Every structure is written in C-alpha cells, then in structure tokens.
Amino acid sequence: GGVSNSVGYTINAPVISSLSSGNGIAGSSVTITGTGFSASGNTVSIGGVAASVTSQSTTSITVTVAAGTCSGNVVVTNACGGVSNGLSYIISAPTVFSASPVNGLPGSSVTISGTGFSTTGNAVTIGGIAASISSPSTTSITATVASGTCSGNIVVTNACGGVSNGLSYTINAPVISNL
C-alpha cells in the first residue's frame, strides 16, 4: 500500500446570525442561530462568562445566562476550536419588586425582592445612604438600614453597574416612651 500526500482541510469558524433576544438577566434562556456549530461540544460565553449550554445542533444552540454575567458579546467556540463572530447581549438593569418591611429604623433589616441582582458586588442605598448587605442572590438581598438614613428610595446597583428603579422606604418617627 502506498501512502498519499496530505491535503490541508480547514474547519470554518462558526458564524452567529441571530439571537432569540438581545437582552436579559442571569437565568435567562437565549437561543443562538447560525452556521458552523458542532453537533455537540460547543461552548458559549456572554460578556466573557461561560454560559450553560442546554441544547445544541449544527445550526442552533440554547444557553442559560450565568450569574455574574455583564453585558458583552455572545461568542460560540465549536468543538474544533473555531471561534465565532460576536453579537451584543445586554444585561438588563435590576428591578426591585418589593421590600419587607417598607418602614423601620436605622439598624433594621429589610429584605429586597426583585430580578437582575448579582450574587456578589451589589450595592444598596436607602434614602441615598449605603446599606450593608447580607445573603445576596439574583432575586433577593437582605440589607441593614444605616445610621443616619432618612426616608427615601431603596435602590440596588448590581455588579455590572445596572441601577434599579426606586422603591419607597420610610424611617419611622421616634417614639418617646416616657419623660
């Protein structure tokens, strides 16, 4: 048996043509459509953070946006190492839905519920004064009202710099129990 000469063969890089949505929050599902994807073994990053691939084919990949992802390009790397073009994906600003309780005194705890929070790196202000944070998740933050806080809005800034809507918080009037 003779041996043939080798012929170079190039695998084309994947090409992203569209996204099912160009914006969302951590936990959102995004379907990427294009060509040159592998039937399996593709990896996807959004804003440089690995996204979880939930389904894939040679023309479509569905991923879940990871916690800690900030706005940036969606990029596919196929199983052969080919790297796609990038399409922009915007992480939406956080949204505050509710707080419990909605009134209290400095030193009180308040649980803030919403979406688009980060698991680390959030900042919370109440009446414009920074509150200390504990137990942050992508949907809930517990904050302690700082000394010197006056009534005003609760505002969450996530790790990506997205700023939420404001939700009213009232500092209770002092009560004189006896003279």
Side-chain angles (χ1 to χ4, degrees), residues 38-44 53 56 77-81:
S38 301
S40 64
N42 297 290
T43 59
V44 175
V53 175
Q56 55 190 311
T77 303
N78 67 18
C80 297

Side-chain angles (χ1 to χ4, degrees), residues 20-131:
S20 60
S21 175
N23 67 305
I25 60 173
S28 296
S29 180
V30 180
T31 300
I32 305 158
T33 304
T35 59
F37 304 156
S38 301
S40 64
N42 297 290
T43 59
V44 175
S45 66
I46 302 174
V49 176
S52 175
V53 175
T54 57
S55 68
Q56 55 190 311
S57 71
T58 57
T59 59
S60 178
I61 302 170
T62 302
V63 299
T64 302
V65 178
T69 299
C70 294
S71 298
N73 282 333
V74 175
V75 176
V76 173
T77 303
N78 67 18
C80 297
V83 179
S84 75
N85 57 310
L87 285 187
S88 179
Y89 188 82
I90 305 298
I91 296 296
S92 301
T95 301
V96 173
F97 295 140
S98 65
S100 180
V102 293
N103 63 312
L105 294 170
S108 301
S109 289
V110 58
T111 300
I112 306 159
S113 299
T115 61
F117 304 158
S118 303
T119 53
T120 61
N122 295 293
V124 173
T125 59
I126 301 173
I129 304 294

